[in-house]
Amino acid sequence: MNNKDISFASFGLVVLDEIRFPNRNSLTNVLGGSGAYATLGARLFLPSPQSHSLAWPIHIGNDFPDPIVELLHSWDANLVITKEPDQPSTRGLLEYQDTTFGRAKSLSIYRSSVALTIPVSKKFRYTTPILAIQDSELPGTALLTSKVYHYLASPQDMRTRVLNMLALRDQVGIQHRPLIIWEPAPLSCKAENLQECLAVAALVDVFSPNHLELAALFGDSSVTSDRTEIERLASKILANGVGPEGKGTVIIRAGGNGCFVQSSNLISKWLPPFHIAETGIEQATKVVDPTGAGNAFLGGYSIGYLQTGGDIIQAAFYGAVAASFALEQVGMPKKMNEGDEESWNGASVLGRLQEYKARQESAGTQGGKLKINR
């Protein structure tokens, strides 16, 4: 595939997780990280050979398991692998601290327009030095030509990354601006970093903290459960300026509440998750582990944005569907081939997208084009 056809590249991490539970055996070498889940979200909507348009930078160490390398190759993406022969891979420890892990734990209760979510108690930390993707790896690769870039970074790092990436593209004559999506790094979401986050948001096209990160940035714990507060603070971010000429989008990913999408041209919409309880307090039984669902949402959103010509609501439909596949198991969903058709976890991705679209059309949700010159 020609490098000009590259659609998506995530500069998030690929992490090997150890996952510990209160009442069951631990799991090791579970593929995770924001880069892996974001790429998954994009890959779901790009069956082979369209999957070649994914440029996937991966920085691994000398202990990266061969079966996971084979899994990555099986996604048929445009892999750009850097291996450190004298360093371990990026590893993390995810510890669940309650006893409700599994199909009975991510409870979303919907009554009319109100959604309540019971969160899962968990802790995460890195156990080895982080192997990040460096800007120096872009020149001469497909990474430099992507239509969409996804980052998870602190505001300080994000400013440098965006300016370097745009400068490198300019040096080789790439004139069109890519869509730049930024998830603020969770540990950087503190009130003292709010002003710098707002300043850096002007450099990107989509600023997407989750509801917990939004609360931490504004020092307001009520944000985590109050839709009105989420809307108010999202509006404050947007009013400060997101994207060139203030034409960007704010997406607050809110777990069981779905997501809130708002743009400068008066588009403002809550969208539910794909897996929801149908009646009463019945749980969405397919929800196993929410880890990575928000990253997958943004990968799916990216492809939806490209395929719908910049319709941010329709793109969020793609995001909601991508997230649904991420949370049906611990780790990555299973890709299967049935003849010429791909399925994930035994389900058709496009079939699930059509189902979600039909639900939203029934609910009266319309699309919303965001016109940005690229």
Side-chain angles (χ1 to χ4, degrees), residues 142-308:
L143 296 171
L144 201 54
T145 65
S146 183
K147 296 180 177 69
V148 182
Y149 290 97
H150 163 264
Y151 295 88
L152 186 148
S154 69
Q156 298 84 356
D157 188 39
M158 189 63 188
R159 179 186 294 278
T160 300
R161 300 300 296 269
V162 169
L163 295 178
N164 284 349
M165 179 268 291
L166 293 176
L168 287 169
R169 288 167 65 98
D170 187 61
Q171 288 174 14
V172 295
I174 302 174
Q175 300 298 321
H176 69 276
R177 178 183 168 86
L179 185 77
I180 303 172
I181 298 178
W182 177 32
E183 291 187 66
L187 292 179
S188 70
C189 291
K190 303 174 182 178
E192 56 263 36
N193 287 333
L194 175 60
Q195 293 307 312
E196 188 153 14
C197 275
L198 293 176
V200 175
L203 301 177
V204 306
D205 301 285
V206 178
F207 179 57
S208 183
N210 66 31
H211 60 303
L212 299 176
E213 293 154 359
L214 181 69
L217 275 172
F218 283 91
D220 184 353
S221 61
S222 68
V223 175
T224 61
S225 58
D226 190 322
R227 282 190 171 195
T228 301
E229 278 297 289
I230 289 175
E231 293 170 15
R232 183 179 69 85
L233 297 183
S235 295
K236 288 185 69 172
I237 293 171
L238 201 63
N240 190 77
V242 175
E245 301 179 5
K247 295 182 178 179
T249 303
V250 174
I251 301 176
I252 308 301
R253 294 161 291 124
N257 283 302
C259 68
F260 178 63
V261 182
Q262 189 172 35
S263 74
S264 58
N265 60 346
L266 304 180
I267 296 172
S268 179
K269 184 70 66 176
W270 276 97
L271 294 172
F274 180 86
H275 291 309
I276 62 173
E278 297 297 331
T279 59
I281 61 171
E282 179 185 356
Q283 297 183 47
T285 56
K286 284 196 172 184
V287 176
V288 173
D289 182 8
T291 300
N295 312 127
F297 175 99
L298 293 174
Y301 176 94
S302 301
I303 303 306
Y305 184 93
L306 295 177
Q307 293 186 354
T308 64

Side-chain angles (χ1 to χ4, degrees), residues 94-111:
L94 179 61
E95 296 182 275
Y96 285 91
Q97 297 172 297
D98 58 27
T99 58
T100 57
F101 182 87
R103 296 185 182 275
K105 72 166 182 47
S106 291
L107 177 60
S108 299
I109 307 170
Y110 279 76
R111 288 195 177 98

Side-chain angles (χ1 to χ4, degrees), residues 1 5 7 43 45-54 76 307:
M1 175 168 288
D5 295 325
S7 60
R43 174 61 178 83
F45 296 100
L46 295 172
S48 183
Q50 297 176 54
S51 55
H52 300 167
S53 74
L54 294 177
D76 203 21
Q307 293 186 354

